[in-house]
């Protein structure tokens, strides 16, 4: 049913599995003996973060923040809202921020500055998708699954009006769906 709204698959389920295995292995090497705090930015991070941490062979702690800048549209509004903050301290912790996609970079830039202010020892970004053509602030994620073109994508956590998050792949949404 959902597939009828997808123009084409951009990142397949198999590709996502390969990305999370590769990235999980790299993070395990880079954070060996560091007990990192893996922070997911809700809601989109859930599928990626779950698969990623299951591929990390180290001790880690997980936490979540609910942060948004889209508010139902197809482009970031630039208005960053934190509707659920962390319930643990980041002071002197190595933090890995997990994101489904880095687009404009606005949200991550605000969160990174906040975590620095709160005393995080280090902060790195791990993202499934990087869309550098959409960037409006200076930000380069340290761990990137794959680079995608400037298109509106859904699936594997990414949504349009809270729909399509449950697709097992990332696809380009047909423009007629969001141009109504």
């Amino acid at each position: 049913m959902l597939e009828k709204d997808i123009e084409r698959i951009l990142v397949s389920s198999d590709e996502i599995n390969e990305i999370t295995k590769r990235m999980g292995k790299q993070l395990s090497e880079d954070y060996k003996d560091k007990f990192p705090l893996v922070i997911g930015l809700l809601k989109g991070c859930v599928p990626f973060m779950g698969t990623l941490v299951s591929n990390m062979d180290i001790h880690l702690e997980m936490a979540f923040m609910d942060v948004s800048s889209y508010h139902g549209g197809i482009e970031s509004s630039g208005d960053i809202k934190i509707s659920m903050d962390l319930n643990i301290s980041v002071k002197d912790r190595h933090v890995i921020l997990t994101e489904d996609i880095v687009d404009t970079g606005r949200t991550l830039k605000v969160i990174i500055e906040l975590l620095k202010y709160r005393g995080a020892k280090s902060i790195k970004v791990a993202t499934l998708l990087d869309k550098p053509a959409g960037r409006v602030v200076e930000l380069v994620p340290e761990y990137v699954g794959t680079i995608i073109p400037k298109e509106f994508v859904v699936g594997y956590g990414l949504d349009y009006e809270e729909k399509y998050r449950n697709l097992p792949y990332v696809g380009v949404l047909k423009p007629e769906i969001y141009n109504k």
Side-chain angles (χ1 to χ4, degrees), residues 1 8 16 22 25 34-36 41-42 50 58 63 68 79 83 93-94 119-120 124 132 137-138 163 166 169 176:
M1 181 175 116
R8 71 182 187 288
I16 291 169
R22 172 181 45 85
K25 182 178 180 188
K34 290 186 179 177
F35 189 55
L41 301 182
L42 296 173
I58 57 172
S68 178
D79 178 24
S83 53
R93 297 291 305 269
H94 293 284
K124 305 284 185 190
V137 298
E138 232 180 274
K163 300 172 191 160
N166 56 318
Y169 55 81
E176 58 265 26

Coordinates of all heavy atoms in Angstrom, one line a residue, residues 1 8 16 22 25 34-36 41-42 50 58 63 68 79 83 93-94 119-120 124 132 137-138 163 166 169 176:
M1 N 0.8 -1.2 0.0 CA 0.0 0.0 0.0 C 0.9 1.3 0.0 O 0.6 2.2 -0.8 CB -0.9 0.0 1.2 CG -1.8 1.2 1.3 SD -3.0 1.1 2.7 CE -2.4 2.4 3.6
R8 N 10.8 6.1 -6.2 CA 11.9 5.1 -6.3 C 12.6 4.9 -5.0 O 12.6 5.7 -4.1 CB 12.9 5.5 -7.4 CG 13.8 6.6 -7.0 CD 14.8 7.0 -8.2 NE 15.7 7.9 -7.8 CZ 15.5 9.2 -7.5 NH1 14.3 9.7 -7.7 NH2 16.5 10.0 -7.2
I16 N 21.0 -0.7 3.9 CA 20.9 -0.2 5.2 C 21.6 -1.2 6.2 O 22.4 -0.8 7.1 CB 19.4 0.1 5.7 CG1 18.9 1.3 4.9 CG2 19.3 0.3 7.2 CD1 17.4 1.5 5.0
R22 N 28.8 -1.9 8.9 CA 30.1 -1.2 8.7 C 30.3 -0.1 9.8 O 31.3 0.0 10.4 CB 30.1 -0.5 7.3 CG 31.3 0.4 7.1 CD 31.3 1.0 5.6 NE 30.0 1.5 5.2 CZ 29.6 2.7 5.5 NH1 30.3 3.6 6.2 NH2 28.4 3.2 5.0
K25 N 30.8 -1.5 13.4 CA 32.1 -2.0 13.5 C 33.1 -0.8 13.8 O 34.0 -0.9 14.7 CB 32.6 -2.8 12.3 CG 33.9 -3.4 12.4 CD 34.3 -4.3 11.2 CE 35.6 -4.8 11.4 NZ 36.1 -5.5 10.2
K34 N 35.5 3.2 26.0 CA 35.1 4.6 26.3 C 33.6 4.7 26.9 O 33.2 5.8 27.4 CB 35.2 5.5 25.1 CG 36.6 5.8 24.7 CD 36.7 6.7 23.5 CE 38.1 7.0 23.1 NZ 38.2 7.9 22.0
F35 N 32.9 3.7 26.9 CA 31.5 3.7 27.4 C 30.7 4.9 26.9 O 30.3 5.8 27.6 CB 31.4 3.6 28.9 CG 30.1 3.3 29.5 CD1 29.3 2.3 29.0 CD2 29.6 4.2 30.4 CE1 28.0 2.1 29.6 CE2 28.3 4.0 30.9 CZ 27.5 2.9 30.5
P36 N 30.5 5.0 25.5 CA 29.8 6.2 25.0 C 28.4 6.2 25.4 O 27.7 5.2 25.6 CB 30.0 6.0 23.5 CG 30.1 4.5 23.3 CD 30.8 4.0 24.5
L41 N 18.0 11.2 18.3 CA 17.0 12.3 18.2 C 15.7 11.8 17.6 O 15.7 11.4 16.4 CB 17.7 13.4 17.3 CG 19.0 14.0 17.8 CD1 19.5 15.1 16.9 CD2 18.8 14.5 19.3
L42 N 14.7 11.8 18.4 CA 13.4 11.2 18.1 C 12.7 12.0 17.0 O 12.9 13.2 16.9 CB 12.6 11.1 19.3 CG 13.1 10.1 20.4 CD1 12.2 10.2 21.7 CD2 13.1 8.7 19.9
G50 N 18.5 1.7 16.5 CA 18.3 0.3 17.0 C 19.2 -0.7 16.2 O 19.8 -1.5 16.8
I58 N 30.4 -3.1 22.0 CA 31.0 -2.4 23.1 C 29.9 -2.1 24.2 O 28.7 -2.2 23.9 CB 31.7 -1.1 22.7 CG1 30.7 -0.2 22.0 CG2 32.9 -1.4 21.8 CD1 31.2 1.2 21.7
A63 N 20.2 7.1 25.2 CA 19.3 8.1 25.7 C 18.7 8.8 24.5 O 19.1 8.6 23.4 CB 20.0 9.2 26.5
S68 N 12.7 18.8 17.1 CA 12.1 18.9 15.8 C 12.3 20.3 15.2 O 12.4 21.3 15.9 CB 10.6 18.7 15.8 OG 10.0 18.8 14.6
D79 N 13.2 26.6 13.2 CA 12.7 26.8 14.5 C 12.8 25.5 15.3 O 12.0 24.6 15.1 CB 11.2 27.3 14.5 CG 10.6 27.4 15.8 OD1 11.3 27.7 16.8 OD2 9.3 27.3 16.0
S83 N 11.2 19.0 22.7 CA 10.0 18.7 23.5 C 10.3 17.6 24.5 O 9.5 17.4 25.4 CB 8.9 18.3 22.6 OG 9.3 17.3 21.7
R93 N 31.2 12.9 29.3 CA 30.9 11.7 28.5 C 31.3 11.9 27.0 O 31.2 13.0 26.5 CB 29.4 11.4 28.6 CG 28.8 11.1 29.9 CD 29.2 9.8 30.5 NE 28.9 8.7 29.7 CZ 27.8 7.9 29.8 NH1 26.9 8.2 30.6 NH2 27.7 6.8 29.0
H94 N 31.6 10.7 26.4 CA 31.8 10.7 25.0 C 30.4 10.5 24.4 O 29.7 9.4 24.7 CB 32.7 9.6 24.5 CG 34.1 9.8 25.0 ND1 34.9 10.7 24.4 CD2 34.8 9.3 26.0 CE1 36.1 10.7 25.0 NE2 36.0 9.8 26.0
G119 N 28.9 20.1 29.0 CA 30.2 19.5 29.4 C 30.5 18.2 28.8 O 31.4 17.4 29.4
A120 N 29.9 17.8 27.7 CA 30.3 16.6 27.0 C 31.8 16.6 26.7 O 32.3 17.6 26.3 CB 29.5 16.4 25.8
K124 N 30.2 13.3 18.5 CA 30.3 12.9 17.1 C 29.0 12.6 16.6 O 28.1 12.2 17.4 CB 31.2 11.7 17.0 CG 32.6 11.8 17.6 CD 33.5 12.7 16.7 CE 34.9 12.7 17.3 NZ 35.8 13.6 16.8
P132 N 24.3 16.8 1.9 CA 25.0 18.1 2.0 C 24.5 19.2 1.1 O 24.7 20.4 1.4 CB 26.5 17.7 1.6 CG 26.3 16.3 1.0 CD 25.1 15.7 1.5
V137 N 24.1 25.4 7.4 CA 25.1 25.7 8.4 C 26.3 24.8 8.2 O 26.2 23.8 7.5 CB 24.5 25.5 9.9 CG1 23.3 26.4 10.1 CG2 24.2 24.1 10.1
E138 N 27.4 25.2 8.8 CA 28.6 24.4 8.7 C 28.5 23.2 9.6 O 28.5 23.4 10.8 CB 29.9 25.3 9.0 CG 30.9 25.2 7.9 CD 32.1 26.1 8.2 OE1 32.0 27.3 7.9 OE2 33.1 25.5 8.8
K163 N 3.8 9.9 8.5 CA 3.6 8.7 7.8 C 4.9 8.2 7.1 O 5.8 9.0 7.0 CB 2.6 8.9 6.6 CG 1.2 9.4 7.2 CD 0.3 9.8 6.0 CE -0.9 10.5 6.5 NZ -1.5 11.3 5.4
N166 N 7.7 3.6 8.8 CA 7.8 2.1 8.9 C 8.2 1.4 7.7 O 8.3 0.2 7.7 CB 6.5 1.5 9.4 CG 5.3 1.9 8.5 OD1 5.2 3.0 8.1 ND2 4.4 1.0 8.3
Y169 N 13.0 0.6 3.9 CA 14.0 1.2 3.0 C 13.8 2.7 3.0 O 12.8 3.2 3.6 CB 13.9 0.7 1.6 CG 12.5 0.8 1.0 CD1 12.0 2.0 0.5 CD2 11.6 -0.3 1.0 CE1 10.8 2.2 -0.1 CE2 10.3 -0.1 0.5 CZ 9.9 1.1 0.0 OH 8.6 1.3 -0.5
E176 N 3.5 14.5 -6.0 CA 2.1 14.8 -5.9 C 1.5 14.5 -4.5 O 0.5 14.9 -4.1 CB 1.3 14.0 -7.0 CG 1.5 12.5 -6.9 CD 2.6 12.0 -7.9 OE1 3.5 12.7 -8.2 OE2 2.5 10.8 -8.3

